[in-house]
């Protein structure tokens, strides 16, 4: 079927053309949507509560910026991503301090840019590896901080990942999960969605699903809107607003 004949696109374009500002405006404006990978750490992790030489896991680290930001406040940081290419890029920045790449401007027109290791970050305690968030290696030790940024709605079975978290976060440790909750069947079968559906006539949100999965072991301490902007080319941008849920692992009784 032509995508422009679907209910989804019809609704999007009706909203695009006719919505009032209140109907279409995101929770926060685009001006605060930059440096998302930095803000996931700076605004969501309580550095003052971390022990000396804390250990952190950046699960779904992509190309590693949040991993490096965690290294500002933690003595050892492990970044894990399913994409070997992303991991290779992050490792090249860690080892060499920079990585050259091309920014798409228009059609085949590009601008050469350089991704650099963030100033003031010591990369010696940082490591990257490829791994499946639903089947992590068994010998991972527990961490003081686990960050999962824009990951859960791209997993085939997010419950498998969430079920491992009590082992991965030390008692008293911090868990940060951020996501725009863009559930798509091409990534996650509908029966595995954490939220975004109705059950017995009641709406089930992803926050509801996270509470159900985590409440037995974690306390939800805060939620926060985190806008982010993805640039496709010089005249096309994706503005999304992730919800950050910030959790504390209960101490062993």
């Amino acid at each position: 079927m032509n995508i422009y004949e679907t209910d989804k696109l019809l609704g999007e374009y009706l909203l695009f053309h006719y919505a009032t500002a209140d109907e279409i405006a995101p929770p926060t404006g685009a001006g605060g949507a930059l440096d998302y990978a930095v803000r996931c750490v700076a605004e969501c992790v309580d550095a003052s509560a971390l022990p000396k030489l804390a250990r952190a896991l950046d699960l779904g680290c992509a190309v590693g910026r949040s991993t490096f930001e965690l290294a500002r406040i933690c003595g050892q940081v492990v970044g894990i991503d399913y994409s070997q290419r992303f991991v290779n890029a992050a490792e090249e920045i860690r080892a060499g301090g920079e990585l050259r790449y091309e920014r798409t401007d228009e059609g085949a027109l590009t601008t050469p840019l350089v991704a650099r290791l963030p100033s003031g970050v010591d990369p010696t305690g940082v490591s990257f590896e490829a791994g499946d968030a639903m089947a992590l290696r068994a010998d991972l030790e527990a961490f003081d901080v686990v960050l999962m940024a824009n990951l859960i709605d791209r997993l085939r079975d997010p419950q498998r990942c969430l079920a491992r978290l009590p082992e991965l976060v030390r008692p008293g440790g911090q868990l940060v999960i951020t996501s725009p909750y863009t559930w798509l069947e091409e990534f996650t079968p509908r029966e595995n969605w954490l939220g975004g559906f109705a059950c017995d006539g009641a709406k089930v949100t992803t926050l509801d699903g996270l509470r159900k999965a985590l409440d037995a072991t974690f306390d939800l301490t805060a939620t926060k809107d985190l806008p982010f902007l993805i640039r496709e080319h010089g005249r096309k941008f994706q503005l999304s607003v992730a919800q950050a849920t910030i959790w504390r692992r209960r101490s062993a009784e």
Side-chain angles (χ1 to χ4, degrees), residues 7 12 33 43 86 109 116-117 132 142 162 197 199 228 242 252:
D7 290 343
E12 287 181 2
E43 297 185 19
F86 279 6
L109 300 177
R116 292 184 172 86
L117 182 72
D132 184 345
L162 296 176
F197 55 85
C199 182
F228 63 93

Side-chain angles (χ1 to χ4, degrees), residues 183 190-199 202-206 208-209:
W183 297 105
R190 183 160 180 160
E191 61 269 22
N192 292 341
W193 291 6
L194 296 179
F197 55 85
C199 182
K203 292 182 178 181
V204 179
T205 68
T206 304
D208 294 330

Side-chain angles (χ1 to χ4, degrees), residues 15 19-29 239 241:
L15 193 67
T20 66
D22 288 342
E23 289 171 337
I24 200 170
T28 55
L239 174 63
V241 181

